[in-house]
Amino acid sequence: MKQVLIKDLYRNTESFVGQKVELSGWVRTIRDSKTFGFIELNDGSFFKGVQIVFDEQLDNYKEITKFPISSSIKVEGDFIHTPQAKQPFEIKAMAIILEGSSNVDYPLQKKKHSFEYLRTIAHLRPRTNTFSAVFRIRSLASYALHKFFQERGFVYVHTPIITGSDTEGAGEMFRVTTLDLDNLPKNEEGKIDTTQDFFEKESNLTVSGQLNAEAYALAFRNVYTFGPTFRAENSNTARHAAEFWMVEPELAFAELPDVMNLGEDMVKYVINYVLEEAPEEMNFFNSFIEKGLLERLEQARTADFGRVTYSEAIEILKNSGENFGYPVEWGLDLQTEHERYLCEKVFKRPLFVTDYPKEIKAFYMRLNEDGKTVAATDLLVPGIGELIGGSQREEREEVLLQKIKDLGMNEEDYWWYLELRKYGGTKHSGFGIGFERLIMYLTGMTNIRDVIPFPRTPGNAEF
Amino acid sequence: MKQVLIKDLYRNTESFVGQKVELSGWVRTIRDSKTFGFIELNDGSFFKGVQIVFDEQLDNYKEITKFPISSSIKVEGDFIHTPQAKQPFEIKAMAIILEGSSNVDYPLQKKKHSFEYLRTIAHLRPRTNTFSAVFRIRSLASYALHKFFQERGFVYVHTPIITGSDTEGAGEMFRVTTLDLDNLPKNEEGKIDTTQDFFEKESNLTVSGQLNAEAYALAFRNVYTFGPTFRAENSNTARHAAEFWMVEPELAFAELPDVMNLGEDMVKYVINYVLEEAPEEMNFFNSFIEKGLLERLEQARTADFGRVTYSEAIEILKNSGENFGYPVEWGLDLQTEHERYLCEKVFKRPLFVTDYPKEIKAFYMRLNEDGKTVAATDLLVPGIGELIGGSQREEREEVLLQKIKDLGMNEEDYWWYLELRKYGGTKHSGFGIGFERLIMYLTGMTNIRDVIPFPRTPGNAEF
């Protein structure tokens, strides 16, 4: 008998009517009377489990009734179609074999646990409903992003993780080294001799693949990255992790509105994909994690995203009569409270804010004609704040070079980046989306630690 | 007029007949007579470019004839269908506008460059035919892998990059730190106080996501990873890089033959996908990189992969009459020369070797009944040697624990890994495939530095 997955039982129910099936999985719950019992079996292939009915005719009936929760078992039985019942089918067991027992101290007994506690057993938490749903959505959303870009002919680029340069000219980085810290080599000046390190110079973990992606956009036109990025910020908030994944599309022959359109299409595509592929999980989130989640996503999926300039947004905020914790003034960056107010209260949908003051944005963003703002955009979404940050890139070599000098950055570190402007440079634009932010947006989960399988935060690199 | 991609001109040629089109791209070559000229335009969307015909009727005719190679331009013109000609169509320009000029010192003039030289301009090399083909195949093969696993219901897991543990109990690792190396904090014993580091302990870059993936397989049944991994080995060979990508599927309720079948299906799927999606690139490799490549892939795509035990393989090698550089003896690991001899000369197709001596394989591999070998497999392929390494995992807690103790490993580091055996452990199996090896196999490229966009090797973290 061929092993069957529970997902197939749900998705192709009709084809199993009258069949014998063999299943493997883990015991979620078990209850019994003197003569018969029920096992809720989950095999990981699907959000829901299947009910196994067994009775005393089985030789090992007594033994079965004592299987600890989470034991792994193999079941052979008849598929019983019960279209009128709450559960559309069940399995009448002919044989149940214990594959791996569990232990009475199994931490995930039937009672509810806090997310904080579950983080301490990150190796077991995907066995719970919440984390099973979160990490299946994470997988589906990853694939939806690849599918979206590949269907449009974008080339996926693996930009380097270890880097000799600091992409954004800012941000605290993790150092990567093979030097023996107990016995550091020194040079004549008494400084650490980095020429003896693995890469013969100081190297760090990347904070963004953008600059490398730009080089590839100027060869393949449309490219994207999807990989891990790192920030060594010592912030213990629900929104920061030291290691997280980013998606960064980059388009040649494209201006700011082109990437805004792309970002809007992308977000809608991913929402549609997870709603279609995982309705059970999405309903679970809507019921147990964030009431109103489906309504919020339905609105985003169907509405035209709003568009407003930073300068207009500042006026709106100033005239709002709201009492914000952070000041609102042209030239100051928008805080999460401002961002959420704009998209949740004013526009009531996802909102692109554009044309920020040059002083608060990165060096590579294209200077607008006004000389004061840059062609940058943030996508703000209800419940989250900033989801996407993008810009048109400064393609004018002399403007870029001046900016690098003005900021006191080391021109030599950017030799190849500048060369991209020298040899057939074009207008080009791109954005970055923090993948964990997207998962929080899709699921309603509010702590980044709960959407990363094994999160890395200050003081935490367990597992 | 909507911008058109060159890929669309090739893929949907008929639909453009009689149309006006607008294209953007880079000048690959340009030649002219007194009254008319030709530009080969490439826009990155497709391996081939399109021929632009322009003549002196254009106001800026003289200027156009002087465009440096690699300048970016915008072209408006008539699509001319030429089904009888060598090129099935060309564009008769009505207007050509320079978007970004290039420089006469552009390094990629028409002459041929060595791969070694091109590595020094990794930001420009994707503009050459070879690297355009390599990195499009890399993108397509990445997607084919995701598609393969997702279609089979596998859950994609992002395993951590920064780790507090050393997965394989071996392998040189990169250390990750935020400590100030010029001013290292010391503890009372005069040792470096790692509790003051970002993660409050020593941390490194991962060498494999397998152990974490196992935790997820015991929740989702079938999972896979696809992410960067690292080795701080100081080896300057054509096969080693410090940073490379790995794919690691892991299956619960699966024994060794199950993952061998999966690996065979996967390799065939990826070959089929790139042959179908990028025939131009694959033909290019067959003509200019490795004669016979397509024949080799065709054979792999259609043959049943061979299967032989390690013990049988040793006998075959001993009786071969070949003069190998490395000794052949039961208990010694197979070297690349042995691996290639087996699959290229004896089996003449991809070959799974199974059941290796336990001493030469990793601690987590399942001990066979003979007490001497483990349920491990390597997939050997012509031209490469080892492509896949996999095993059934030791699911018996007491056997695993004994192994950890025997090897002098720190039991406490594996507390959660051992718990996976304690709480409903099952038979489970998986494998790892080095993604760059796969790309080399698909393209015929022989140096790993030439299949990674920005390779990291000893002394090299440029770009």
Side-chain angles (χ1 to χ4, degrees):
Chain A
M1 222 178 303
K2 200 177 165 275
Q3 286 253 337
V4 169
L5 297 180
I6 290 175
K7 180 177 182 176
D8 294 327
L9 298 183
Y10 277 94
R11 292 285 188 249
N12 304 304
T13 307
E14 297 296 331
S15 70
F16 291 100
V17 175
Q19 302 287 310
K20 291 195 190 312
V21 295
E22 184 183 307
L23 297 167
S24 293
W26 293 272
V27 173
R28 277 281 178 92
T29 63
I30 191 161
R31 60 205 161 89
D32 66 281
S33 69
K34 258 205 178 112
T35 54
F36 64 95
F38 302 98
I39 290 172
E40 192 204 338
L41 185 78
N42 188 291
D43 75 353
S45 71
F46 197 65
F47 185 62
K48 294 181 184 174
V50 61
Q51 177 159 279
I52 312 291
V53 189
F54 62 101
D55 66 24
E56 58 181 349
Q57 307 220 348
L58 299 182
D59 290 346
N60 56 345
Y61 179 76
K62 273 286 157 215
E63 188 199 330
I64 295 170
T65 61
K66 297 196 180 68
F67 286 168
I69 300 299
S70 95
S71 298
S72 62
I73 62 174
K74 193 180 283 185
V75 178
E76 289 179 29
D78 290 311
F79 181 90
I80 310 291
H81 200 199
T82 54
Q84 310 303 325
K86 201 177 145 205
Q87 294 165 321
F89 52 81
E90 60 185 27
I91 307 298
K92 175 78 176 63
M94 296 181 300
I96 298 181
I97 299 159
L98 182 67
E99 174 153 341
S101 187
S102 190
N103 211 296
V104 286
D105 65 352
Y106 182 61
L108 295 171
Q109 304 293 344
K110 192 66 186 159
K111 68 182 167 106
K112 214 169 145 54
H113 298 285
S114 73
F115 290 162
E116 287 76 10
Y117 169 69
L118 292 173
R119 281 173 215 144
T120 68
I121 49 170
H123 60 311
L124 301 177
R125 67 176 178 168
R127 304 179 183 193
T128 65
N129 281 334
T130 299
F131 291 97
S132 149
V134 166
F135 292 115
R136 198 185 310 276
I137 295 298
R138 188 173 168 115
S139 169
L140 292 170
S142 298
Y143 185 57
L145 287 164
H146 280 297
K147 202 162 180 298
F148 174 83
F149 288 113
Q150 295 270 341
E151 283 172 357
R152 281 156 189 73
F154 282 57
V155 169
Y156 178 32
V157 188
H158 288 129
T159 49
I161 310 302
I162 298 172
T163 173
S165 64
D166 175 352
T167 306
E168 306 216 336
E172 293 168 75
M173 301 177 86
F174 287 102
R175 183 153 182 169
V176 175
T177 183
T178 54
L179 293 177
D180 178 1
L181 299 199
D182 286 309
N183 194 8
L184 286 168
K186 300 282 169 81
N187 61 20
E188 288 174 0
E189 294 162 17
K191 302 230 167 177
I192 290 159
D193 185 3
T194 53
T195 66
Q196 293 190 41
D197 208 342
F198 190 91
F199 297 108
E200 297 172 14
K201 64 174 178 177
E202 187 178 330
S203 61
N204 299 291
L205 292 179
T206 186
V207 297
S208 160
Q210 180 199 314
L211 304 200
N212 299 94
E214 283 184 55
Y216 270 59
L218 294 182
F220 287 109
R221 186 167 181 140
N222 294 335
V223 304
Y224 70 107
T225 73
F226 190 173
T229 49
F230 304 84
R231 297 285 153 82
E233 265 178 79
N234 198 1
S235 24
N236 260 307
T237 81
R239 298 155 54 93
H240 290 87
E243 176 181 316
F244 55 99
W245 286 62
M246 283 235 288
V247 178
E248 297 177 284
E250 189 73 31
L251 292 73
F253 303 105
E255 302 182 19
L256 192 63
D258 296 315
V259 291
M260 290 160 66
N261 293 338
L262 182 79
E264 179 169 345
D265 289 349
M266 183 196 75
V267 169
K268 289 176 173 174
Y269 187 96
V270 176
I271 293 173
N272 284 330
Y273 190 81
V274 298
L275 287 174
E276 185 143 323
E277 295 292 321
E280 291 80 7
E281 281 83 350
M282 297 306 290
N283 283 325
F284 171 83
F285 292 126
N286 192 56
S287 300
F288 298 106
I289 302 295
E290 180 193 337
K291 308 269 181 218
L293 172 75
L294 291 180
E295 196 184 333
R296 173 162 70 68
L297 294 177
E298 182 61 24
Q299 184 209 44
R301 200 173 73 77
T302 52
D304 286 333
F305 290 8
R307 299 183 183 208
V308 67
T309 66
Y310 166 89
S311 300
E312 290 163 351
I314 291 293
E315 286 309 305
I316 292 171
L317 292 169
K318 278 189 164 176
N319 299 330
S320 67
E322 286 287 315
N323 210 349
F324 293 114
Y326 287 88
V328 174
E329 201 63 57
W330 200 100
L332 297 180
D333 210 354
L334 298 179
Q335 302 297 321
T336 302
E337 58 172 342
H338 309 137
E339 295 177 337
R340 293 189 58 171
Y341 178 80
L342 286 167
C343 62
E344 290 171 14
K345 306 288 180 190
V346 184
F347 285 82
K348 298 188 167 62
R349 58 200 157 115
L351 173 68
F352 284 106
V353 180
T354 63
D355 303 298
Y356 286 80
K358 63 180 179 185
E359 287 80 8
I360 59 173
K361 288 292 180 182
F363 77 96
Y364 50 72
M365 297 187 177
R366 192 178 196 277
L367 190 63
N368 285 326
E369 296 307 310
D370 62 16
K372 291 189 290 190
T373 61
V374 288
T377 188
D378 284 355
L379 174 63
L380 315 179
V381 295
I384 299 281
E386 185 194 330
L387 182 63
I388 284 178
S391 73
Q392 189 166 335
R393 318 309 188 186
E394 185 56 76
E395 87 281 9
R396 295 163 296 187
E397 190 186 359
E398 68 289 354
V399 180
L400 181 63
L401 186 56
Q402 190 58 51
K403 185 84 186 197
I404 286 174
K405 286 178 177 164
D406 288 349
L407 292 173
M409 294 158 64
N410 189 359
E411 183 185 333
E412 283 168 27
D413 289 346
Y414 296 88
W415 68 271
W416 62 270
Y417 189 65
L418 287 159
E419 279 197 2
L420 298 178
R421 278 73 185 163
K422 190 172 163 190
Y423 300 126
T426 72
K427 286 186 179 170
H428 62 289
S429 305
F431 66 78
I433 176 165
F435 183 60
E436 282 75 15
R437 287 261 174 103
L438 177 64
I439 302 304
M440 292 163 79
Y441 178 65
L442 293 171
T443 61
M445 299 293 288
T446 54
N447 194 311
I448 196 169
R449 293 168 181 80
D450 296 328
V451 299
I452 299 175
F454 300 93
R456 271 67 181 106
T457 51
N460 190 5
E462 191 59 85
F463 304 103
Chain B
M1 222 179 304
K2 198 175 167 276
Q3 286 251 338
V4 169
L5 296 180
I6 290 176
K7 179 176 183 178
D8 294 327
L9 298 183
Y10 277 93
R11 292 285 188 248
N12 304 303
T13 307
E14 297 295 330
S15 70
F16 291 100
V17 174
Q19 301 289 308
K20 291 194 190 314
V21 295
E22 185 184 307
L23 297 167
S24 293
W26 293 272
V27 173
R28 276 280 178 94
T29 63
I30 191 162
R31 59 203 162 88
D32 67 282
S33 71
K34 256 202 180 117
T35 54
F36 63 96
F38 302 98
I39 291 172
E40 192 204 338
L41 185 77
N42 188 293
D43 74 353
S45 71
F46 198 65
F47 185 62
K48 294 181 184 174
V50 62
Q51 177 159 279
I52 312 290
V53 189
F54 63 100
D55 67 24
E56 58 181 348
Q57 308 222 346
L58 300 181
D59 291 345
N60 56 345
Y61 179 76
K62 273 286 157 215
E63 187 201 330
I64 295 170
T65 62
K66 296 197 180 69
F67 286 167
I69 301 298
S70 94
S71 297
S72 62
I73 61 173
K74 192 181 283 183
V75 178
E76 289 179 29
D78 290 311
F79 180 91
I80 310 291
H81 200 199
T82 55
Q84 311 300 326
K86 200 176 147 208
Q87 293 164 320
F89 51 81
E90 59 185 24
I91 307 297
K92 175 77 175 62
M94 297 181 298
I96 298 181
I97 299 159
L98 182 67
E99 175 153 340
S101 187
S102 189
N103 211 295
V104 287
D105 65 352
Y106 181 62
L108 297 171
Q109 303 294 342
K110 192 63 186 160
K111 70 183 165 102
K112 215 168 143 55
H113 299 284
S114 73
F115 290 162
E116 287 76 10
Y117 169 68
L118 292 173
R119 280 173 216 144
T120 68
I121 50 169
H123 60 310
L124 301 176
R125 69 177 177 166
R127 303 179 184 193
T128 66
N129 281 334
T130 299
F131 290 96
S132 148
V134 166
F135 292 115
R136 199 184 310 277
I137 295 298
R138 187 174 169 115
S139 169
L140 292 170
S142 298
Y143 185 57
L145 288 164
H146 280 296
K147 202 161 179 304
F148 173 81
F149 288 113
Q150 296 270 342
E151 284 172 357
R152 281 155 188 75
F154 282 56
V155 169
Y156 178 32
V157 189
H158 288 130
T159 49
I161 310 302
I162 298 172
T163 173
S165 65
D166 175 352
T167 305
E168 306 216 336
E172 293 168 73
M173 300 176 89
F174 288 101
R175 182 153 183 170
V176 174
T177 183
T178 54
L179 292 177
D180 177 1
L181 298 199
D182 286 309
N183 194 8
L184 286 168
K186 300 281 169 82
N187 60 21
E188 287 174 1
E189 294 162 18
K191 302 232 168 178
I192 290 159
D193 184 4
T194 53
T195 65
Q196 293 190 39
D197 208 343
F198 191 90
F199 297 108
E200 297 172 14
K201 64 174 179 177
E202 187 178 330
S203 61
N204 298 291
L205 292 180
T206 186
V207 297
S208 160
Q210 180 199 314
L211 303 201
N212 299 93
E214 284 185 54
Y216 270 60
L218 294 182
F220 287 109
R221 185 166 182 141
N222 294 336
V223 304
Y224 70 107
T225 73
F226 190 173
T229 48
F230 304 84
R231 297 284 152 83
E233 265 178 77
N234 198 0
S235 23
N236 261 305
T237 81
R239 297 156 55 94
H240 291 86
E243 175 181 317
F244 56 99
W245 285 62
M246 283 235 288
V247 178
E248 297 177 284
E250 189 73 32
L251 291 73
F253 303 105
E255 302 182 18
L256 193 63
D258 297 315
V259 290
M260 291 159 66
N261 293 339
L262 182 79
E264 180 169 345
D265 289 348
M266 182 195 75
V267 169
K268 289 175 173 174
Y269 187 97
V270 176
I271 293 172
N272 284 330
Y273 190 82
V274 300
L275 287 174
E276 185 143 322
E277 294 292 321
E280 291 79 8
E281 282 83 351
M282 297 306 290
N283 284 325
F284 171 84
F285 292 127
N286 192 56
S287 300
F288 298 106
I289 301 296
E290 180 192 338
K291 308 268 180 218
L293 171 75
L294 290 180
E295 197 184 333
R296 172 162 69 68
L297 294 178
E298 181 61 24
Q299 184 209 43
R301 198 173 73 77
T302 52
D304 285 332
F305 290 9
R307 299 182 183 210
V308 67
T309 66
Y310 166 88
S311 300
E312 291 162 352
I314 291 293
E315 286 310 304
I316 293 170
L317 292 168
K318 278 189 164 175
N319 299 330
S320 68
E322 287 287 314
N323 209 349
F324 292 114
Y326 288 87
V328 174
E329 202 63 58
W330 201 98
L332 298 181
D333 209 356
L334 299 179
Q335 301 297 321
T336 302
E337 58 173 341
H338 309 137
E339 295 177 336
R340 293 189 57 171
Y341 178 80
L342 286 166
C343 61
E344 290 171 12
K345 306 287 181 193
V346 184
F347 285 82
K348 298 187 167 62
R349 56 199 156 115
L351 172 69
F352 284 107
V353 180
T354 62
D355 304 298
Y356 286 80
K358 63 180 178 183
E359 287 80 9
I360 60 173
K361 287 292 182 184
F363 77 95
Y364 50 72
M365 296 186 176
R366 191 178 197 278
L367 190 64
N368 284 327
E369 296 306 310
D370 62 16
K372 289 190 292 191
T373 61
V374 288
T377 187
D378 284 355
L379 174 64
L380 314 179
V381 295
I384 299 281
E386 184 195 331
L387 183 62
I388 283 177
S391 73
Q392 190 166 336
R393 319 309 188 185
E394 186 56 78
E395 88 279 10
R396 294 164 296 189
E397 191 186 359
E398 69 290 354
V399 181
L400 181 63
L401 186 57
Q402 190 57 51
K403 185 86 185 198
I404 286 174
K405 285 178 177 164
D406 289 349
L407 292 173
M409 293 158 63
N410 188 359
E411 182 186 333
E412 282 169 29
D413 290 345
Y414 296 88
W415 69 271
W416 61 271
Y417 190 64
L418 287 160
E419 279 197 1
L420 298 178
R421 277 71 185 164
K422 190 172 163 192
Y423 301 126
T426 73
K427 287 186 179 168
H428 62 290
S429 304
F431 65 78
I433 175 165
F435 182 61
E436 282 74 15
R437 286 263 173 102
L438 178 64
I439 302 303
M440 292 162 79
Y441 178 66
L442 293 171
T443 61
M445 299 294 287
T446 55
N447 194 310
I448 196 169
R449 293 168 180 78
D450 296 329
V451 300
I452 299 175
F454 301 93
R456 270 70 180 104
T457 51
N460 190 5
E462 190 60 85
F463 304 103

